Amino acid sequence: MADSDGEKGNLRMLSGSFYIARDKGPTPQGDDSHFICEEKQTIGLADGVGGWSRHGVDAGSYARQLMNNSLLAIRSQPHRQVDPMKVLDEAYTKTKAEGSSTACIITLQKDSKLNAVNLGDSGFMVMRQGAVIYRSPTQQYSFNTPYQLGNYANSDKPWQGQVIKLAVEAGDVVVAGTDGLFDNLSESRILEVAATGIKQGLHPEEVAWSLAQEAYLVSMDTETITPFMKDSMMAGIKHIGGKQDDITVIVSLIFDT
């Protein structure tokens, strides 16, 4: 079967998302933002740095403007040839809000490869046949201090993000998320929940809901062992249980048209 471009066996990704904002009273939208652009087969997410709230700044404002500008930048990109770095660079240039955020943009191109740029401690995993075949590395200066885009003098720049190119196959599953997901659920647990949901025939949005819901429940548990707790111990900081945070999850299923 040929897709709209007349190519046979062209891969596409079906995506769905779920977002749980941490209850912060005056900023009910939380600090995360994300988008799914099915037309250009591109997804993106950003996590506003919460520390700005101590200075009277809505910590999610920068992330929301950055993702909105990313979506606008994608519109001018060639069909199925989106360049995530160019998109992020254009969005960064046009984002004038106060604050800062991490960023991750992922696209599926015509050559059946994922092309991504990731800056900070958001990121993604790729799963194949019940195993994790890739996990994007975290970029941080020290524990809980990620690389971050912003408008202040010492902020990081898009070119400091890691560019990732990865061949994918039909049946692969991509799970992207902010640190609210990865700080609370282990890689093995994310794999288990996602693989089970896809095997049951759930839509990616339903799988994203399952992951976000479990991450939220763990975040509220003051006794459980979490990745954030382990990382805290390695940094010499005492933290027990989950980490309360905004949680964004995007799940994408790769399929052959």
Side-chain angles (χ1 to χ4, degrees):
M1 181 182 296
D3 70 355
S4 59
D5 292 318
E7 297 178 354
K8 294 184 178 180
N10 191 32
L11 297 182
R12 295 184 66 85
M13 62 180 183
L14 175 66
S15 301
S17 63
F18 201 83
Y19 175 44
I20 300 176
R22 182 182 178 187
D23 184 10
K24 293 184 178 179
T27 56
Q29 294 183 79
D31 300 341
D32 288 2
S33 183
H34 73 281
F35 69 84
I36 296 173
C37 182
E38 182 178 359
E39 178 188 358
K40 295 295 180 75
Q41 291 287 280
T42 304
I43 60 176
L45 51 82
D47 179 3
V49 176
W52 285 96
S53 60
R54 294 193 292 270
H55 302 281
V57 175
D58 178 354
S61 179
Y62 187 91
R64 290 190 291 272
Q65 193 174 124
L66 182 70
M67 288 296 96
N68 184 62
N69 286 331
S70 295
L71 195 52
L72 292 174
I74 287 170
R75 294 179 179 176
S76 63
Q77 291 279 303
H79 181 62
R80 299 299 301 277
Q81 296 182 54
V82 173
D83 184 331
M85 180 59 83
K86 287 184 178 179
V87 168
L88 185 59
D89 190 60
E90 181 177 334
Y92 168 77
T93 300
K94 294 182 178 179
T95 300
K96 305 302 181 183
E98 286 189 277
S100 59
S101 79
T102 66
C104 181
I105 298 175
I106 307 166
T107 190
L108 178 61
Q109 297 187 329
K110 282 184 177 181
D111 59 1
S112 299
K113 289 184 179 180
L114 284 183
N115 193 345
V117 59
N118 186 56
L119 185 142
D121 59 2
S122 297
F124 67 100
M125 298 165 48
V126 180
M127 309 169 191
R128 178 179 300 159
Q129 298 179 355
V132 176
I133 64 167
Y134 181 79
R135 167 82 181 269
S136 60
T138 297
Q139 291 183 309
Q140 58 181 11
Y141 290 102
S142 58
F143 172 68
N144 214 27
T145 306
Y147 286 26
Q148 51 197 270
L149 301 174
N151 290 314
Y152 57 99
N154 297 322
S155 67
D156 298 300
K157 303 297 184 287
W159 61 264
Q160 292 175 262
Q162 183 174 31
V163 174
I164 300 153
K165 296 183 179 181
L166 183 70
V168 290
E169 302 174 357
D172 288 356
V173 179
V174 181
V175 176
T178 53
D179 62 344
L181 171 67
F182 296 113
D183 281 344
N184 288 299
L185 296 186
S186 66
E187 183 176 292
S188 61
R189 185 55 184 161
I190 293 172
L191 171 64
E192 181 180 2
V193 173
T196 298
I198 294 297
K199 187 176 182 179
Q200 291 174 344
L202 298 181
H203 188 280
E205 183 174 336
E206 296 175 290
V207 180
W209 178 89
S210 297
L211 286 166
Q213 183 68 13
E214 180 156 338
Y216 171 75
L217 293 174
V218 170
S219 76
M220 303 301 290
D221 191 328
T222 59
E223 298 181 354
T224 190
I225 297 174
T226 63
F228 187 77
M229 175 181 171
K230 293 178 180 179
D231 290 343
S232 298
M233 292 177 64
M234 291 182 64
I237 299 171
K238 184 177 181 179
H239 178 93
I240 301 175
K243 177 193 175 189
Q244 295 184 35
D245 202 351
D246 302 293
I247 301 166
T248 297
V249 183
I250 305 176
V251 175
S252 300
L253 172 63
I254 309 297
F255 68 97
D256 196 331
T257 58

